[in-house]
Amino acid sequence: MQVQTDIRPMFSYSFLIILFVIILIIIVFLIMRYLKRKEIKKDVIIPNHNELMNIKNKYLLKLDELEKKLKANGITSRRAYQELSSLIRNFIYEATNIKVTNYTLKEIGTLNMPVLYELVAEYYDPEFAVISKGNITASIDKTKVVIEKWN
């Protein structure tokens, strides 16, 4: 007695597998997007005058240190822009309790802080471009003015 089995070709189910993977990726993407929208935004906490002055002085000193490193050629312009971006984001976090350290430029644009948006936008090109162009000294000066005038 001879038994014959019909074996399907190896890729006969590949369409279904690909479709399943695509649907799975879409579901994961939608879940991540939903969770990001549900992210709890903390209320803005405005420190008292003395605390704000201490925060301002702390970051103005950090900007002065950055400027000294830059003048001593101890840091590249690109790295200076990266540190500048980090400094202003950390300052805003300490001054408002909004964790902008993790925000993209687009997300910063939704915060109703046009000065912060303009500064970070100014840093982006020199920070990420193949050839870093920009006037880092002028950017540091603008950042100092923003910190000094922050209420």
Side-chain angles (χ1 to χ4, degrees):
M1 183 155 94
Q2 204 173 22
V3 177
Q4 189 171 355
T5 56
D6 186 28
I7 299 177
R8 294 192 177 248
M10 186 165 86
F11 296 105
S12 66
Y13 294 105
S14 63
F15 174 74
L16 292 176
I17 293 170
I18 291 171
L19 184 64
F20 176 75
V21 169
I22 290 172
I23 290 171
L24 189 63
I25 290 171
I26 291 170
I27 290 170
V28 168
F29 175 76
L30 291 174
I31 290 171
M32 288 175 53
R33 194 167 175 197
Y34 174 77
L35 291 175
K36 188 171 184 176
R37 284 187 183 169
K38 285 290 195 179
E39 183 178 290
I40 299 171
K41 291 187 178 181
K42 294 182 179 178
D43 292 330
V44 175
I45 297 174
I46 300 171
N48 67 41
H49 180 71
N50 290 336
E51 289 174 353
L52 184 58
M53 292 308 292
N54 289 337
I55 294 168
K56 285 181 177 185
N57 289 334
K58 173 183 168 182
Y59 282 93
L60 289 171
L61 285 173
K62 287 184 178 195
L63 285 171
D64 288 339
E65 290 171 12
L66 178 62
E67 203 166 23
K68 286 177 187 174
K69 278 198 286 187
L70 190 63
K71 287 181 181 175
N73 291 325
I75 190 171
T76 65
S77 177
R78 179 185 313 277
R79 183 70 187 139
Y81 272 106
Q82 291 168 348
E83 288 189 27
L84 195 55
S85 179
S86 178
L87 282 172
I88 193 64
R89 289 168 184 259
N90 286 321
F91 168 75
I92 297 298
Y93 174 62
E94 287 189 36
T96 65
N97 203 40
I98 300 173
K99 197 164 186 164
V100 294
T101 53
N102 300 334
Y103 283 22
T104 64
L105 183 61
K106 185 177 178 182
E107 292 168 329
I108 289 172
T110 65
L111 293 176
N112 196 24
M113 293 184 195
V115 175
L116 176 63
Y117 178 83
E118 290 171 16
L119 279 177
V120 175
E122 180 179 320
Y123 306 156
Y124 257 52
D125 188 43
E127 190 176 355
F128 296 111
V130 174
I131 298 173
S132 184
K133 295 178 183 175
N135 187 344
I136 185 66
T137 305
S139 295
I140 291 173
D141 291 341
K142 286 180 189 177
T143 306
K144 283 182 182 179
V145 170
V146 168
I147 291 173
E148 288 168 351
K149 292 183 177 183
W150 191 267
N151 322 359

